[in-house]
Every structure is written in structure tokens, then in C-alpha cells.
Amino acid sequence: MSLKMQLRSLFTIYKRSLLIGCSLLGLQQLIGINTAMYYGPLIMQKSGIKIDNLSKEESGLVLNIPLAFCNFIGTTISVFVIDRVGRRSILLITLPMMTACWVAAAMGMSFTSPNQSESA
């Protein structure tokens, strides 16, 4: 089968599968857990929370440990549960919860000014 025929079948026969796959990929990137994990220490620093006897940078790293631990626990649980419960049902159940959590996080961050943590 030529490349032209393969591309034609991709956009005709497998159109629905392609759309679902690309939508899930985009949704995964929009959820942004990778961003939260990467910028977690900086977010903790900017929030103004500080642990006594630690610098701002050290406090940010220490306060990011619970986030990394929750990510580890969630990943470990999903390895054992995902095939039994089903990917679709897990997605449909957790998507509204993830959306609510990100909205709550955005609202919480909107109450602080960028300069507020600099003076603390």
C-alpha cells in the first residue's frame, strides 16, 4: 500500500479514532500536571509559605515533596486499577474532578499579587 493510500485511509476509515486520539492528547497537555510538577517548587516559593530554618528555595523543594508523593501514589494505584475499571470510565470520572481542582488552584493564585511574596 502506498503512502498516499495509507494517508487517505487514515483520514477516512480511521477518522473517528484519529480524532479521539488527538483530542485525548490535547486534553492531556491542557490538564498541565507536567507543568505543576516542573514549576512546583517555584509555585511554593511564590506562595510565600516558608519553613523555619530553610531558605525560600529549600522550602519550595521540601513543600513540593507531598505533590510528588501524591503523583507517585496515584500512578501506582492506576497501574493496578486501570485495566480492571477501564480507561474510559476513569477518564469520565476524573476529568470533572481535575477541572474543579485546576479552577480552585487558579482562583487561589488569583488572590495573591506577584509582589506579595517578594516582600515576605
Side-chain angles (χ1 to χ4, degrees):
M1 186 184 264
S2 70
L3 179 63
K4 186 176 181 181
M5 293 297 289
Q6 288 177 340
L7 289 175
R8 182 175 290 147
S9 67
L10 179 66
F11 291 104
T12 55
I13 299 170
Y14 302 108
K15 184 177 181 178
R16 183 172 183 234
S17 299
L18 181 66
L19 180 65
I20 291 171
C22 290
S23 298
L24 287 174
L25 179 69
L27 183 64
Q28 180 183 10
Q29 293 302 314
L30 290 173
I31 288 171
I33 191 63
N34 295 337
T35 305
M37 295 298 291
Y38 184 79
Y39 289 107
L42 183 63
I43 293 169
M44 294 298 176
Q45 288 174 22
K46 297 289 183 178
S47 70
I49 302 171
K50 190 172 181 306
I51 299 174
D52 293 336
N53 302 326
L54 293 178
S55 68
K56 283 174 119 177
E57 291 79 17
E58 291 170 335
S59 294
L61 286 172
V62 169
L63 290 169
N64 200 45
I65 292 172
L67 178 63
F69 182 72
C70 289
N71 188 18
F72 169 74
I73 295 297
T75 303
T76 304
I77 291 170
S78 69
V79 166
F80 298 107
V81 173
I82 199 163
D83 288 329
R84 202 170 332 152
V85 176
R87 297 173 193 274
R88 184 176 187 270
S89 60
I90 290 175
L91 177 70
L92 294 175
I93 291 168
T94 59
L95 187 60
M97 291 186 288
M98 288 186 287
T99 303
C101 289
W102 279 114
V103 168
M107 288 173 57
M109 289 182 197
S110 72
F111 292 125
T112 61
S113 67
N115 296 328
Q116 181 180 1
S117 62
E118 299 296 328
S119 62

